[in-house]
Amino acid sequence: MKAIQVVKAYDMQLIEKEIPKIKKNNEVLVKVMATGICGSDVHIYHGTSPVATYPRVIGHEVVGQIVEIGSAVSKLKIGDRVIMEPIEYCGKCYACKLGRGNVCQNLKVIGVHEDGGFQEYICLPEKLLHIIPDEVSYIQAVMIEPYTIGCQASWRAGVLEGDIVLIYGAGPVGLIVLDTVKNLGATCIISDINDQRLAFAKEFGADYTLNPLRDQVEEKVRELTGGMGANVVFDAVGIPSIFANALKIASVAGRVVSMAFTDEPTPISMLEITKKELNVVGTRHQTKKFKEVIMDFPSRIDKIDKLITHVFNFEEYEKAFELSDDKNSGAGKIVLTYY
Ligand code: MN
Protein backbone atom coordinates (compact mmCIF):
# COMPACT_ATOMS: atom_id res chain seq x y z
CA MET A 1 0.00 0.00 0.00
CA LYS A 2 0.99 3.63 -0.33
CA ALA A 3 1.49 6.20 2.44
CA ILE A 4 2.34 9.90 2.55
CA GLN A 5 5.36 10.33 4.78
CA VAL A 6 7.11 13.48 5.92
CA VAL A 7 10.70 12.24 5.96
CA LYS A 8 11.96 15.52 7.38
CA ALA A 9 10.95 19.18 7.08
CA TYR A 10 9.98 20.06 3.49
CA ASP A 11 10.54 16.49 2.33
CA MET A 12 7.26 14.66 1.80
CA GLN A 13 7.15 11.42 -0.14
CA LEU A 14 4.72 8.79 -1.31
CA ILE A 15 6.23 5.61 0.14
CA GLU A 16 5.42 1.94 -0.23
CA LYS A 17 4.54 0.08 3.01
CA GLU A 18 3.15 -3.27 4.07
CA ILE A 19 -0.57 -3.23 4.88
CA PRO A 20 -0.61 -3.23 8.72
CA LYS A 21 -1.74 -6.39 10.52
CA ILE A 22 -4.01 -6.62 13.54
CA LYS A 23 -1.66 -7.31 16.47
CA LYS A 24 -3.98 -6.99 19.46
CA ASN A 25 -7.42 -8.58 19.63
CA ASN A 26 -9.10 -5.22 20.35
CA GLU A 27 -7.87 -3.72 17.07
CA VAL A 28 -9.54 -3.27 13.72
CA LEU A 29 -8.10 -2.73 10.25
CA VAL A 30 -9.53 0.33 8.50
CA LYS A 31 -9.41 0.99 4.77
CA VAL A 32 -8.84 4.74 4.76
CA MET A 33 -11.32 6.55 2.50
CA ALA A 34 -10.76 10.25 3.14
CA THR A 35 -8.50 12.46 5.24
CA GLY A 36 -8.43 16.18 5.90
CA ILE A 37 -5.33 18.35 5.72
CA CYS A 38 -5.06 20.30 8.96
CA GLY A 39 -2.88 23.27 9.81
CA SER A 40 -0.92 21.00 12.13
CA ASP A 41 -0.11 18.64 9.22
CA VAL A 42 1.27 21.65 7.36
CA HIS A 43 3.34 22.55 10.46
CA ILE A 44 4.86 19.07 10.53
CA TYR A 45 5.67 19.40 6.83
CA HIS A 46 7.28 22.80 7.41
CA GLY A 47 9.24 21.57 10.44
CA THR A 48 7.46 24.09 12.69
CA SER A 49 5.51 21.63 14.82
CA PRO A 50 6.70 21.86 18.43
CA VAL A 51 5.64 18.26 19.10
CA ALA A 52 6.10 16.05 16.01
CA THR A 53 8.87 13.52 15.43
CA TYR A 54 10.19 12.30 12.05
CA PRO A 55 9.87 10.43 9.79
CA ARG A 56 6.11 10.55 10.13
CA VAL A 57 3.09 9.41 8.16
CA ILE A 58 0.91 12.42 8.97
CA GLY A 59 -2.86 12.84 9.17
CA HIS A 60 -5.24 12.84 12.12
CA GLU A 61 -8.53 13.67 10.36
CA VAL A 62 -9.21 10.17 9.17
CA VAL A 63 -12.35 8.47 7.86
CA GLY A 64 -12.62 4.93 6.53
CA GLN A 65 -14.34 1.58 6.45
CA ILE A 66 -13.58 -1.43 8.61
CA VAL A 67 -12.27 -4.38 6.63
CA GLU A 68 -11.06 -6.69 9.43
CA ILE A 69 -11.67 -6.99 13.18
CA GLY A 70 -9.77 -8.54 16.09
CA SER A 71 -11.34 -11.35 18.14
CA ALA A 72 -12.20 -9.12 21.13
CA VAL A 73 -13.85 -6.36 19.12
CA SER A 74 -17.44 -6.05 20.29
CA LYS A 75 -18.97 -2.77 19.16
CA LEU A 76 -17.79 -2.59 15.55
CA LYS A 77 -18.11 -4.91 12.57
CA ILE A 78 -16.67 -5.31 9.10
CA GLY A 79 -18.23 -2.76 6.73
CA ASP A 80 -18.79 -0.08 9.41
CA ARG A 81 -18.00 3.47 8.28
CA VAL A 82 -15.90 5.19 10.93
CA ILE A 83 -14.02 8.30 12.00
CA MET A 84 -10.84 8.11 14.06
CA GLU A 85 -10.37 9.83 17.41
CA PRO A 86 -6.69 10.73 17.11
CA ILE A 87 -5.52 10.82 20.73
CA GLU A 88 -4.31 8.11 23.08
CA TYR A 89 -3.82 8.80 26.79
CA CYS A 90 -2.45 6.93 29.80
CA GLY A 91 -5.53 7.13 32.07
CA LYS A 92 -3.29 7.48 35.14
CA CYS A 93 -1.83 10.98 35.20
CA TYR A 94 -3.42 14.02 36.87
CA ALA A 95 -5.18 15.23 33.70
CA CYS A 96 -6.51 11.78 32.90
CA LYS A 97 -7.88 11.41 36.42
CA LEU A 98 -9.77 14.67 35.91
CA GLY A 99 -11.24 13.22 32.71
CA ARG A 100 -9.03 15.38 30.52
CA GLY A 101 -7.02 12.82 28.61
CA ASN A 102 -6.58 15.36 25.81
CA VAL A 103 -3.81 16.95 27.88
CA CYS A 104 -2.45 13.67 29.27
CA GLN A 105 1.13 13.85 30.46
CA ASN A 106 1.90 10.92 28.18
CA LEU A 107 -0.35 12.01 25.33
CA LYS A 108 0.18 10.35 21.96
CA VAL A 109 -1.42 11.98 18.96
CA ILE A 110 -1.88 9.78 15.94
CA GLY A 111 -0.33 11.49 12.93
CA VAL A 112 2.01 13.50 15.17
CA HIS A 113 3.79 11.18 17.66
CA GLU A 114 2.72 8.02 15.84
CA ASP A 115 2.00 7.29 12.20
CA GLY A 116 -1.32 8.72 11.13
CA GLY A 117 -3.94 8.26 8.48
CA PHE A 118 -2.43 9.51 5.23
CA GLN A 119 -2.12 5.90 4.09
CA GLU A 120 -4.40 3.37 2.46
CA TYR A 121 -4.90 1.24 5.59
CA ILE A 122 -4.50 1.85 9.31
CA CYS A 123 -4.80 -0.47 12.30
CA LEU A 124 -6.49 1.06 15.35
CA PRO A 125 -7.92 0.05 18.73
CA GLU A 126 -11.70 -0.23 18.57
CA LYS A 127 -12.17 2.48 21.23
CA LEU A 128 -10.66 5.14 18.94
CA LEU A 129 -13.35 4.72 16.29
CA HIS A 130 -16.80 6.23 16.03
CA ILE A 131 -19.48 5.27 13.53
CA ILE A 132 -20.46 8.00 11.09
CA PRO A 133 -24.14 8.55 10.25
CA ASP A 134 -25.38 6.91 7.01
CA GLU A 135 -26.39 10.20 5.44
CA VAL A 136 -22.89 11.68 5.88
CA SER A 137 -20.37 10.95 3.10
CA TYR A 138 -16.76 9.96 3.76
CA ILE A 139 -15.63 13.37 2.53
CA GLN A 140 -18.08 15.27 4.73
CA ALA A 141 -17.21 13.10 7.74
CA VAL A 142 -13.63 14.41 7.63
CA MET A 143 -15.00 17.58 9.28
CA ILE A 144 -16.16 15.72 12.39
CA GLU A 145 -12.71 15.87 14.01
CA PRO A 146 -12.23 19.62 13.37
CA TYR A 147 -15.73 20.20 14.79
CA THR A 148 -14.73 18.42 18.01
CA ILE A 149 -11.99 21.05 18.33
CA GLY A 150 -14.60 23.82 18.05
CA CYS A 151 -16.84 22.02 20.51
CA GLN A 152 -13.98 21.68 23.03
CA ALA A 153 -12.99 25.35 22.64
CA SER A 154 -16.51 26.54 23.22
CA TRP A 155 -16.88 24.20 26.22
CA ARG A 156 -13.63 25.50 27.72
CA ALA A 157 -14.98 29.04 27.31
CA GLY A 158 -18.35 28.20 28.80
CA VAL A 159 -20.17 29.99 25.97
CA LEU A 160 -23.72 30.87 26.98
CA GLU A 161 -26.79 31.75 24.97
CA GLY A 162 -26.79 35.49 24.36
CA ASP A 163 -23.03 35.91 24.85
CA ILE A 164 -21.17 38.22 22.52
CA VAL A 165 -18.18 36.37 21.18
CA LEU A 166 -15.14 37.73 19.38
CA ILE A 167 -13.08 35.34 17.26
CA TYR A 168 -9.65 36.31 15.98
CA GLY A 169 -8.99 34.42 12.77
CA ALA A 170 -11.46 33.35 10.08
CA GLY A 171 -9.52 30.28 8.92
CA PRO A 172 -11.08 26.82 9.16
CA VAL A 173 -10.72 26.68 12.98
CA GLY A 174 -12.15 30.16 13.49
CA LEU A 175 -15.10 29.34 11.23
CA ILE A 176 -15.83 26.11 13.08
CA VAL A 177 -15.76 27.95 16.40
CA LEU A 178 -18.09 30.51 14.81
CA ASP A 179 -20.57 27.85 13.73
CA THR A 180 -20.36 26.15 17.13
CA VAL A 181 -21.02 29.29 19.18
CA LYS A 182 -23.77 30.51 16.81
CA ASN A 183 -25.43 27.16 17.35
CA LEU A 184 -25.37 27.89 21.10
CA GLY A 185 -27.16 31.17 20.55
CA ALA A 186 -24.23 33.59 20.79
CA THR A 187 -23.71 36.75 18.74
CA CYS A 188 -20.45 36.59 16.86
CA ILE A 189 -17.87 39.13 15.77
CA ILE A 190 -14.98 37.77 13.71
CA SER A 191 -11.72 39.50 12.85
CA ASP A 192 -9.25 38.67 10.08
CA ILE A 193 -6.90 40.60 7.78
CA ASN A 194 -8.16 38.71 4.73
CA ASP A 195 -11.33 40.23 3.23
CA GLN A 196 -12.11 37.09 1.25
CA ARG A 197 -12.17 35.12 4.48
CA LEU A 198 -14.34 37.75 6.14
CA ALA A 199 -16.86 37.68 3.29
CA PHE A 200 -17.02 33.93 3.69
CA ALA A 201 -17.41 34.23 7.49
CA LYS A 202 -20.33 36.61 6.98
CA GLU A 203 -22.01 34.10 4.69
CA PHE A 204 -21.19 31.44 7.26
CA GLY A 205 -23.12 33.18 10.03
CA ALA A 206 -20.91 35.91 11.49
CA ASP A 207 -22.97 38.84 12.75
CA TYR A 208 -20.14 41.33 12.32
CA THR A 209 -16.78 41.18 10.56
CA LEU A 210 -13.75 43.34 11.29
CA ASN A 211 -10.49 43.79 9.42
CA PRO A 212 -7.72 45.10 11.71
CA LEU A 213 -6.01 46.61 8.64
CA ARG A 214 -8.96 49.03 8.43
CA ASP A 215 -10.86 48.77 11.69
CA GLN A 216 -9.81 49.63 15.24
CA VAL A 217 -10.92 46.24 16.57
CA GLU A 218 -11.10 47.21 20.25
CA GLU A 219 -13.02 50.40 19.52
CA LYS A 220 -15.46 48.62 17.20
CA VAL A 221 -16.10 45.82 19.66
CA ARG A 222 -16.83 48.42 22.38
CA GLU A 223 -19.21 50.15 19.99
CA LEU A 224 -20.99 46.92 19.09
CA THR A 225 -21.34 45.87 22.73
CA GLY A 226 -22.43 49.20 24.22
CA GLY A 227 -19.02 49.59 25.89
CA MET A 228 -19.11 46.18 27.59
CA GLY A 229 -16.53 44.32 25.51
CA ALA A 230 -16.74 40.72 24.29
CA ASN A 231 -17.87 38.12 26.82
CA VAL A 232 -15.71 35.49 25.17
CA VAL A 233 -12.63 36.01 23.00
CA PHE A 234 -11.06 33.16 21.00
CA ASP A 235 -7.58 33.54 19.61
CA ALA A 236 -7.40 31.29 16.55
CA VAL A 237 -4.52 33.26 15.03
CA GLY A 238 -1.63 32.97 17.46
CA ILE A 239 0.17 36.26 17.00
CA PRO A 240 1.34 37.26 20.52
CA SER A 241 0.00 40.85 20.35
CA ILE A 242 -3.49 39.50 19.70
CA PHE A 243 -3.52 37.82 23.09
CA ALA A 244 -2.72 41.07 24.89
CA ASN A 245 -5.53 42.75 22.94
CA ALA A 246 -7.91 39.92 23.73
CA LEU A 247 -7.46 40.57 27.46
CA LYS A 248 -8.27 44.25 26.92
CA ILE A 249 -11.34 43.62 24.76
CA ALA A 250 -12.84 41.00 27.08
CA SER A 251 -15.79 42.11 29.20
CA VAL A 252 -16.02 41.84 32.97
CA ALA A 253 -16.38 38.16 33.94
CA GLY A 254 -15.20 37.37 30.42
CA ARG A 255 -13.33 34.36 29.08
CA VAL A 256 -10.26 34.43 26.86
CA VAL A 257 -9.35 31.25 25.03
CA SER A 258 -5.96 30.56 23.51
CA MET A 259 -5.89 28.13 20.61
CA ALA A 260 -2.41 29.25 19.57
CA PHE A 261 0.76 27.19 19.34
CA THR A 262 3.29 30.00 19.38
CA ASP A 263 5.91 30.10 22.12
CA GLU A 264 6.81 33.71 21.46
CA PRO A 265 6.39 35.69 24.69
CA THR A 266 4.15 38.74 24.86
CA PRO A 267 3.66 41.36 27.58
CA ILE A 268 0.16 41.29 29.03
CA SER A 269 -1.63 43.38 31.60
CA MET A 270 -2.32 41.37 34.74
CA LEU A 271 -4.66 44.13 35.84
CA GLU A 272 -7.07 43.22 33.02
CA ILE A 273 -7.27 39.66 34.36
CA THR A 274 -7.65 40.58 38.02
CA LYS A 275 -9.91 43.59 37.73
CA LYS A 276 -12.37 41.91 35.37
CA GLU A 277 -11.93 38.47 36.93
CA LEU A 278 -11.22 36.93 33.55
CA ASN A 279 -10.93 33.22 32.93
CA VAL A 280 -7.94 32.72 30.67
CA VAL A 281 -7.92 29.20 29.32
CA GLY A 282 -6.17 27.04 26.79
CA THR A 283 -7.86 24.45 24.65
CA ARG A 284 -6.22 21.52 22.94
CA HIS A 285 -7.65 18.59 20.98
CA GLN A 286 -10.90 17.47 22.63
CA THR A 287 -12.15 15.24 25.36
CA LYS A 288 -15.22 13.08 24.83
CA LYS A 289 -16.68 15.41 22.22
CA PHE A 290 -17.06 12.98 19.29
CA LYS A 291 -20.49 11.64 20.27
CA GLU A 292 -21.92 15.10 20.71
CA VAL A 293 -20.53 16.37 17.40
CA ILE A 294 -21.60 13.26 15.47
CA MET A 295 -25.14 13.50 16.82
CA ASP A 296 -25.47 17.06 15.62
CA PHE A 297 -23.51 16.59 12.41
CA PRO A 298 -26.23 15.67 9.88
CA SER A 299 -28.07 18.93 10.68
CA ARG A 300 -24.94 20.87 9.74
CA ILE A 301 -24.22 19.33 6.35
CA ASP A 302 -24.90 22.58 4.44
CA LYS A 303 -22.23 24.31 6.53
CA ILE A 304 -19.85 21.39 6.16
CA ASP A 305 -20.16 21.46 2.37
CA LYS A 306 -19.23 25.13 2.38
CA LEU A 307 -16.10 24.49 4.44
CA ILE A 308 -14.78 21.75 2.16
CA THR A 309 -13.48 23.58 -0.88
CA HIS A 310 -11.10 21.08 -2.51
CA VAL A 311 -10.88 17.32 -2.91
CA PHE A 312 -7.81 15.57 -4.37
CA ASN A 313 -6.83 11.95 -4.75
CA PHE A 314 -4.10 11.26 -2.17
CA GLU A 315 -1.53 10.63 -4.89
CA GLU A 316 -1.92 14.31 -5.80
CA TYR A 317 -0.77 15.29 -2.31
CA GLU A 318 1.87 17.67 -3.67
CA LYS A 319 -0.80 19.77 -5.39
CA ALA A 320 -2.95 19.66 -2.27
CA PHE A 321 -0.14 20.89 0.01
CA GLU A 322 0.85 23.58 -2.48
CA LEU A 323 -2.71 24.83 -2.33
CA SER A 324 -2.77 24.75 1.46
CA ASP A 325 0.48 26.77 1.48
CA ASP A 326 -1.03 29.48 -0.72
CA LYS A 327 -2.42 32.02 1.73
CA ASN A 328 -4.37 33.81 -1.01
CA SER A 329 -6.06 30.75 -2.46
CA GLY A 330 -9.18 31.15 -0.34
CA ALA A 331 -9.12 27.39 0.20
CA GLY A 332 -11.06 26.01 3.15
CA LYS A 333 -10.71 22.39 4.14
CA ILE A 334 -8.73 20.34 1.63
CA VAL A 335 -9.62 16.64 1.59
CA LEU A 336 -7.62 13.72 0.20
CA THR A 337 -9.47 10.61 -0.98
CA TYR A 338 -8.06 7.07 -1.14
CA TYR A 339 -10.42 5.35 -3.59
MN1 MN B 1 -7.13 18.88 12.80
Side-chain angles (χ1 to χ4, degrees):
M1 70 163 186
K2 294 190 174 88
I4 301 168
Q5 188 190 61
V6 179
V7 182
K8 56 181 192 295
Y10 285 102
D11 181 5
M12 189 159 27
Q13 288 175 21
L14 197 62
I15 61 162
E16 201 52 56
K17 269 179 82 179
E18 291 279 307
I19 294 178
K21 287 194 171 60
I22 290 177
K23 289 195 191 88
K24 290 182 191 148
N25 57 10
N26 65 348
E27 288 178 342
V28 306
L29 181 64
V30 176
K31 163 75 186 84
V32 175
M33 293 296 188
T35 61
I37 298 180
C38 178
S40 59
D41 296 313
V42 177
H43 278 304
I44 298 173
Y45 174 48
H46 288 174
T48 51
S49 164
V51 282
T53 50
Y54 301 87
R56 181 65 57 230
V57 173
I58 53 176
H60 60 269
E61 299 171 3
V62 184
V63 173
Q65 186 168 34
I66 296 177
V67 291
E68 215 180 302
I69 60 171
S71 59
V73 170
S74 61
K75 293 191 186 75
L76 298 172
K77 57 183 192 305
I78 291 172
D80 280 348
R81 302 160 73 247
V82 288
I83 172 114
M84 172 181 92
E85 180 162 351
I87 56 168
E88 289 183 289
Y89 39 89
C90 74
K92 295 184 185 106
C93 74
Y94 183 73
C96 283
K97 280 182 189 153
L98 289 178
R100 290 168 60 185
N102 57 316
V103 286
C104 168
Q105 209 168 330
N106 308 300
L107 184 70
K108 286 212 165 71
V109 183
I110 300 170
V112 179
H113 308 102
E114 288 172 2
D115 278 350
F118 286 10
Q119 50 185 335
E120 290 179 277
Y121 292 87
I122 186 167
C123 224
L124 295 163
E126 173 182 37
K127 66 170 186 192
L128 293 184
L129 295 167
H130 302 269
I131 295 198
I132 59 179
D134 290 341
E135 62 267 50
V136 176
S137 73
Y138 286 124
I139 291 172
Q140 290 164 336
V142 160
M143 294 306 294
I144 291 172
E145 192 274 344
Y147 262 76
T148 65
I149 306 305
C151 185
Q152 176 82 11
S154 117
W155 172 70
R156 291 284 292 149
V159 174
L160 302 169
E161 193 180 346
D163 274 350
I164 300 180
V165 172
L166 168 66
I167 301 168
Y168 282 107
V173 172
L175 290 172
I176 288 167
V177 172
L178 163 69
D179 191 27
T180 307
V181 302
K182 284 298 295 177
N183 212 34
L184 292 168
T187 298
C188 197
I189 309 165
I190 194 158
S191 162
D192 200 291
I193 55 169
N194 182 324
D195 281 326
Q196 208 181 344
R197 280 179 159 188
L198 288 178
F200 188 77
K202 186 91 203 185
E203 201 186 308
F204 205 66
D207 297 284
Y208 306 98
T209 59
L210 298 175
N211 185 332
L213 298 179
R214 276 193 309 271
D215 302 310
Q216 295 292 329
V217 175
E218 190 183 346
E219 217 170 274
K220 286 274 182 188
V221 171
R222 296 248 172 255
E223 226 174 272
L224 292 169
T225 57
M228 170 180 67
N231 307 124
V232 180
V233 186
F234 291 95
D235 175 10
V237 176
I239 298 167
S241 60
I242 284 185
F243 190 68
N245 288 335
L247 297 175
K248 277 190 213 149
I249 292 176
S251 74
V252 286
R255 287 81 77 200
V256 175
V257 185
S258 168
M259 306 184 77
F261 259 85
T262 176
D263 64 353
E264 237 178 282
T266 182
I268 56 161
S269 155
M270 288 185 290
L271 178 65
E272 298 284 351
I273 300 174
T274 314
K275 177 179 80 174
K276 296 188 286 193
E277 213 173 50
L278 299 180
N279 281 8
V280 178
V281 299
T283 182
R284 188 182 179 200
H285 303 291
Q286 55 76 41
T287 178
K288 300 186 179 80
K289 297 288 183 279
F290 270 83
K291 284 212 170 72
E292 194 178 327
V293 168
I294 288 172
M295 216 166 18
D296 217 26
F297 204 72
S299 70
R300 289 184 151 151
I301 285 301
D302 289 351
K303 289 273 167 78
I304 303 301
D305 285 341
K306 282 188 185 150
L307 286 174
I308 300 170
T309 55
H310 296 81
V311 180
F312 293 93
N313 183 271
F314 77 104
E315 298 203 38
E316 297 179 294
Y317 68 96
E318 282 168 314
K319 255 201 226 164
F321 274 83
E322 245 170 63
L323 181 69
S324 72
D325 269 348
D326 178 359
K327 294 275 174 277
N328 300 314
S329 68
K333 179 58 76 181
I334 303 167
V335 172
L336 302 174
T337 58
Y338 299 72
Y339 47 81

